[in-house]
Amino acid sequence: MSSGRTNSSAFSSGSPLRRLGPWLLLGVVIVATLSLAVFGTRDAPTTQDRVSSISRTVKCPVCSGESVAESNAPASQEIRRDIALRVQEGQTDDEIRSYYVARYGEAILLTPSASGINALVWILPVAALAVALAGLAIVFRRWSTEPAETASPEDRRLVEAALRGDETGSSELADPTDGHGEGDSR
Amino acid sequence: MNVALGRAGVTLGLVAAVLGVVTVGYGLVRRRPDLIRLSRAYAVLVFVGGIVAFIAMERALITRDFTVKFVADNGSSKTPALYNFATLWSALEGSIILWSAILGGYLVAVVFKFRKRLADPLVGWALLTMLAVAAFFFFLMAGPANPFENFSPPAGFDGPGPNPLLQNHPLMAFHPPMLYLGYVGFTVPFAFAIAALATGRVGEGWLLATRRWTLIAWGFLTAGIILGSWWSYEVLGWGGYWAWDPVENASFMPWLTGTAYLHSVMVQERRGMLRVWNISLLCATFALTILGTFITRSGVLESVHAFTESSIGPSLIAFFALIVLVTVGLIGWRGDRLRSPGRIDSPLSREGAFLANNVLFGAFAFVILLGTVFPLVVEAINNDRISVGVPYFNRMTMPIGLTLLFLMAIAPVLPWRKASAELLRHRLIWPAWVGAGAMVFAVAVGARGLAPVVAFGLGGFAAGSAGRQLVLAARRQGWRGLVGRANGGMVVHLGVVMIAVAFAASSSYVRQAEFTLRPGDTAEFAGHTLLYEGQNIKEESAKTINQALVRIDGTGPWAPSLNKFANGQTTIGTPSVRSTFTDDVALSVIDIRGGDDPSVTLRVTVQPLIIWLWIGGGVMALGTLLAVFPGKRRNPIDAVSSPLAGASPPEPEPEADRVVANA
């Protein structure tokens, strides 16, 4: 058996290197793998790949909600061919997209722009998450600074009454074993 | 005949539901157990009404009774039997019949399960709530969405049949009923939540009473969503399986809040906290199923201006508003009782992790709701038309999804109350190495890019963590280590990891191209060889199938096709997919020409790991079943110090924890 099972010092009070060693090694492996994943050689996207990635962000003008990449409508096929031409001409992704915005309007892009009222769709979720996290932080702070709730004299009177079996003390806690007031549903 | 039978069923259901609400309500207010117990009879009558309506419509469909307007609009003498049966839920009015019949079924099931406690006010209020919901749906069938309208067909009349897309794959027969079993199933815990508020018994009793009901509804919803995405992958032919379209989002939002509830409810069971929050989550889940029905069924999403064309929209939105008002009102009224004592000692604890889980699931649902309704809001404000589509949802939900995966890895090993860094280091080292191993493997086989590789790593981490819990439980308890909520939940986690990894891989590494081939031509794409053999035309009663026979890497022939339906003028494609455990090659025909110059234009989509979406869905369903199965665990409202029923209570992970505790 490993020493960790029999000798508590192996992982609880051993040398810092012994305790943290596996994690340091793990960190090194993760950093190395991620840098390879980000900076490693990869196949350059072909024209076809660029056409499909652009056409996934352009809405089919005659369907509801489908992208040009998904749709088989003639209009979409036409736009796919047009995007392919523009990619071959050397236009950038943004140039191609702004051409379609100029021609069909903002609704042609499946990603709303980050300007004007449309920016709300990007900002609101982040704001909501920030508010929720701030709320949690405040609650935790309060929990850690405030003392735990103590029983008030009123509470004590109720408990004593209940323990005596004196039902007039409280109708809610008629059953002393029923601390949550569950009644039959326990 | 069928119209009369159907209307009789609807009337029976409506009258029984309304009388049930009145009787049970009177009995509850006046404390008359004899009246409260009558809920049993009313529940059965509502169920009978729903079933009669269902049978009447199916009978009309099967006998092609075109005097029923719904059949004339949606049926056809050419539709094959299976799709003809499924026609009932392929249009709005019929799907309300299915909804009502299922709700009647749940009502009877609740009455049966709680048959010994029918006079208990908690059960009484719950049944009253369910009867009120049933009354609403029968009202829809009696008025705004009446499926049993008369129609006088001219001689030789034949209907158009259901939308061709809905009669192209057998999954259509299973996906909607599953989804509805899930949607409607959430009525049960919702009803008990309302009952808890109404009776003031807001403790943990109602949670335990509905624990399995919630799990079962959640399981059906999960299965329904996954079957739906499988259907769209096999039928729609664009190579994808999830388009973040309003219909999908409408089913996903209640799933998210329901999942949040399944987790946070454990905090309440264990610590008595989060009462308001849990009730709100359940009510939100139920309200979102109604809102989802409104969004998808009222036609509101096409444009705000189409709103008035729909007759069912106002009723649904009014019902949604009523649910929200009643819930908020009841919570406000019971505010004093809902305040729970207790505190969470440390964010680094099981309950802290559940809180974080809830924040993330809430944010996830919020993003989806916002993205779905935002175009409407903008159009209403300044008449601009904008689109919010796949790229938006993918970008916004990716960080949330990755954080959830991380949480899924950490949370299962966290103890209640407070965890030490020492403990975490000890328990997480192996799962962390599994995650690192997954990353190394992914990069070694050629995966590139930060987001997908991080997703694989976190997926491995979460899977390692879930696997660790399962192995420890199985060592302690044998096969019983696989059942019960905690262990079944870990199996569900494994399924979620499979889906997350498959989603990350398939959406990051999708390759798509179009090829025009003549018979005998081959094409190379993304490591696969396609050989076009030729065209094949098949005639069926409802459609003409124009297939392109294609060999993929020598296998096949695979036969994607264009189908021309006899009645509609529409031509729709049916893709053909070759699945392996590593990748899928999906073919769909864009154009096919015979004659002198035969050729086919094919769209080829190659995506890795797609099959793991469906396997993961199966694992999630299996895990849900295991979680429903009673495990050996303490009744959560007993004191933590009380002995475990039956079992000799071993400390969880005896060696490690004790050592750490002593240190």
Side-chain angles (χ1 to χ4, degrees):
Chain A
M1 293 306 287
S2 73
S3 59
R5 291 192 161 234
T6 51
N7 176 8
S8 64
S9 67
F11 66 85
S12 58
S13 57
S15 68
L17 187 67
R18 188 118 182 243
R19 273 189 301 144
L20 299 177
W23 287 96
L24 289 176
L25 184 61
L26 184 79
V28 171
V29 170
I30 290 175
V31 169
T33 317
L34 281 182
S35 33
L36 195 59
V38 176
F39 303 111
T41 53
R42 56 178 116 184
D43 302 334
T46 61
T47 306
Q48 181 66 55
D49 290 334
R50 276 192 59 204
V51 172
S52 33
S53 80
I54 296 172
S55 58
R56 268 195 288 275
T57 63
V58 176
K59 183 178 177 295
C60 159
V62 295
C63 346
S64 65
E66 277 181 305
S67 74
V68 164
E70 294 154 7
S71 152
N72 259 351
S76 297
Q77 298 187 29
E78 187 53 46
I79 292 179
R80 284 204 296 266
R81 273 193 287 274
D82 186 63
I83 293 175
L85 274 179
R86 288 166 191 280
V87 167
Q88 274 158 358
E89 283 170 10
Q91 297 187 11
T92 67
D93 294 11
D94 285 338
E95 281 169 0
I96 297 175
R97 271 191 283 260
S98 34
Y99 165 76
Y100 284 108
V101 172
R103 186 167 159 201
Y104 292 96
E106 183 76 40
I108 196 73
L109 291 188
L110 285 166
T111 17
S113 68
S115 62
I117 188 173
N118 297 354
L120 281 182
V121 79
W122 299 102
I123 295 167
L124 278 180
V126 180
L129 191 65
V131 167
L133 289 179
L136 267 190
I138 289 170
V139 170
F140 269 109
R141 247 182 101 94
R142 207 167 60 200
W143 273 330
S144 63
T145 52
E146 269 179 18
E149 237 172 82
T150 50
S152 66
E154 172 73 359
D155 295 335
R156 287 184 199 289
R157 195 183 61 76
L158 281 177
V159 171
E160 275 159 22
L163 286 176
R164 279 198 311 273
D166 174 12
E167 299 207 357
T168 55
S170 158
S171 57
E172 296 296 338
L173 286 177
D175 177 0
T177 64
D178 183 8
H180 294 280
E182 297 307 323
D184 293 344
S185 60
R186 279 195 301 168
Chain B
M1 169 60 200
N2 289 318
V3 168
L5 186 65
R7 284 188 177 166
V10 171
T11 312
L12 173 66
L14 181 60
V15 170
V18 171
L19 281 182
V21 170
V22 172
T23 316
V24 175
Y26 185 79
L28 283 165
V29 172
R30 289 295 160 96
R31 297 177 194 268
R32 293 262 307 272
D34 53 324
L35 289 182
I36 304 177
R37 279 203 193 88
L38 283 178
S39 58
R40 181 169 39 193
Y42 288 117
V44 171
L45 286 177
V46 168
F47 180 55
V48 170
I51 289 295
V52 166
F54 185 88
I55 288 174
M57 186 54 82
E58 283 297 353
R59 186 161 169 265
L61 283 167
I62 290 166
T63 58
R64 270 80 177 180
D65 176 2
F66 293 121
T67 58
V68 181
K69 188 161 176 299
F70 182 83
V71 181
D73 287 344
N74 301 291
S76 158
S77 60
K78 298 199 178 65
T79 315
L82 178 72
Y83 301 114
N84 192 40
F85 187 80
T87 299
L88 181 112
W89 48 82
S90 67
L92 170 70
E93 292 85 358
S95 61
I96 304 280
I97 301 183
L98 181 64
W99 190 300
S100 311
I102 291 176
L103 184 54
Y106 274 113
L107 255 172
V108 169
V110 168
V111 164
F112 179 75
K113 179 78 202 308
F114 294 94
R115 59 192 177 281
K116 297 203 176 106
R117 285 175 50 189
L118 284 180
D120 181 346
L122 184 79
V123 178
W125 278 105
L127 283 168
L128 176 103
T129 311
M130 289 185 74
L131 285 166
V133 176
F136 171 73
F137 279 96
F138 278 96
F139 156 75
L140 285 184
M141 286 196 291
N146 185 353
F148 297 101
E149 301 257 28
N150 279 307
F151 180 74
S152 37
F157 177 86
D158 196 359
N163 181 337
L165 283 174
L166 301 183
Q167 42 174 323
N168 222 6
H169 197 282
L171 274 176
M172 197 53 212
F174 304 101
H175 146 64
M178 280 281 179
L179 203 58
Y180 280 28
L181 279 166
Y183 279 162
V184 184
F186 274 108
T187 314
V188 180
F190 165 74
F192 274 86
I194 295 292
L197 288 171
T199 55
R201 277 153 55 186
V202 292
E204 283 63 57
W206 70 274
L207 287 183
L208 297 178
T210 56
R211 185 172 95 68
R212 292 213 171 82
W213 296 88
T214 318
L215 262 179
I216 289 169
W218 182 88
F220 277 125
L221 188 58
T222 309
I225 292 173
I226 289 167
L227 287 179
S229 90
W230 196 5
W231 171 82
S232 85
Y233 182 64
E234 296 283 342
V235 167
L236 299 184
W238 48 276
Y241 47 87
W242 189 260
W244 297 109
D245 81 33
V247 183
E248 293 169 341
N249 293 348
S251 65
F252 196 40
M253 284 186 287
W255 186 88
L256 289 168
T257 52
T259 309
Y261 169 77
L262 286 181
H263 289 93
S264 68
V265 75
M266 288 187 260
V267 180
Q268 185 176 346
E269 287 179 8
R270 181 62 87 106
R271 306 285 311 270
M273 304 172 63
L274 305 185
R275 288 177 175 177
V276 178
W277 178 239
N278 283 322
I279 287 178
S280 313
L281 272 179
L282 256 189
C283 295
T285 305
F286 181 70
L288 281 171
T289 65
I290 302 294
L291 185 70
T293 313
F294 166 72
I295 288 176
T296 54
R297 292 300 188 182
S298 66
V300 65
L301 267 189
E302 288 307 307
S303 160
V304 272
H305 306 305
F307 188 79
T308 47
E309 289 167 23
S310 142
S311 51
I312 194 173
S315 311
L316 281 169
I317 202 75
F319 189 55
F320 171 76
L322 180 72
I323 294 167
V324 173
L325 281 179
V326 166
T327 311
V328 172
L330 280 175
I331 290 177
W333 177 52
R334 286 297 187 191
D336 56 327
R337 290 196 187 209
L338 285 166
R339 243 194 339 247
S340 47
R343 54 160 69 185
I344 290 180
D345 306 279
S346 156
L348 199 62
S349 62
R350 183 74 66 85
E351 49 271 54
F354 283 141
L355 279 188
N357 153 309
N358 274 221
V359 169
L360 289 167
F361 272 108
F364 207 139
F366 179 70
V367 165
I368 292 172
L369 182 63
L370 184 71
T372 309
V373 301
F374 196 70
L376 290 180
V377 176
V378 169
E379 193 182 342
I381 291 177
N382 60 9
N383 235 10
D384 271 357
R385 305 212 65 162
I386 64 158
S387 315
V388 179
V390 179
Y392 168 81
F393 289 106
N394 278 348
R395 198 179 305 169
M396 294 300 276
T397 57
M398 186 192 63
I400 302 178
L402 290 180
T403 319
L404 277 171
L405 273 181
F406 177 72
L407 207 56
M408 240 168 100
I410 307 281
V413 309
L414 284 173
W416 293 92
R417 297 215 172 244
K418 198 170 173 58
S420 67
E422 209 61 68
L423 182 81
L424 281 188
R425 268 207 292 279
H426 170 68
R427 289 184 177 177
L428 285 177
I429 186 72
W430 287 114
W433 274 107
V434 174
M439 276 168 59
V440 170
F441 178 77
V443 171
V445 298
R448 292 291 182 270
L450 186 61
V453 172
V454 167
F456 301 149
L458 290 175
F461 192 16
S465 190
R468 176 181 179 279
Q469 297 298 101
L470 284 172
V471 167
L472 289 173
R475 250 197 233 157
R476 273 202 305 273
Q477 298 173 282
W479 67 272
R480 275 199 155 270
L482 292 176
V483 302
R485 178 167 57 183
N487 305 319
M490 288 302 114
V491 177
V492 174
H493 276 195
L494 288 177
V496 174
V497 167
M498 287 176 193
I499 290 177
V501 167
F503 188 88
S506 61
S507 53
S508 304
Y509 304 121
V510 53
R511 306 273 319 267
Q512 202 166 49
E514 275 173 36
F515 293 98
T516 300
L517 302 173
R518 302 162 152 283
D521 282 356
T522 59
E524 295 278 339
F525 182 61
H528 296 279
T529 311
L530 311 173
L531 166 65
Y532 178 45
E533 291 192 326
Q535 187 184 16
N536 181 36
I537 297 178
K538 285 205 299 196
E539 298 282 348
E540 284 183 9
S541 70
K543 57 191 175 189
T544 306
I545 304 176
N546 199 340
Q547 294 176 322
L549 302 179
V550 182
R551 287 194 180 272
I552 304 172
D553 302 332
T555 64
W558 304 89
S561 61
L562 286 181
N563 306 335
K564 202 175 182 77
F565 280 78
N567 282 325
Q569 291 305 307
T570 40
T571 302
I572 64 164
T574 300
S576 176
V577 182
R578 190 194 68 161
S579 294
T580 66
F581 287 111
T582 49
D583 67 358
D584 269 27
V585 181
L587 302 175
S588 49
V589 179
I590 290 178
D591 195 11
I592 184 164
R593 290 163 295 272
D596 298 339
D597 185 22
S599 69
V600 66
T601 303
L602 286 174
R603 178 195 293 162
V604 188
T605 312
V606 179
Q607 291 178 97
L609 302 185
I610 290 279
I611 203 172
W612 293 97
L613 293 166
W614 326 132
I615 296 176
V619 172
M620 286 179 78
L622 174 73
T624 311
L625 283 180
L626 293 172
V628 168
F629 210 79
K632 266 184 188 160
R633 56 196 308 276
R634 187 178 289 114
N635 185 345
I637 59 171
D638 288 346
V640 183
S641 53
S642 67
L644 219 56
S648 59
E651 287 286 308
E653 301 169 51
E655 306 91 351
D657 290 351
R658 204 165 298 143
V659 171
V660 172
N662 294 343

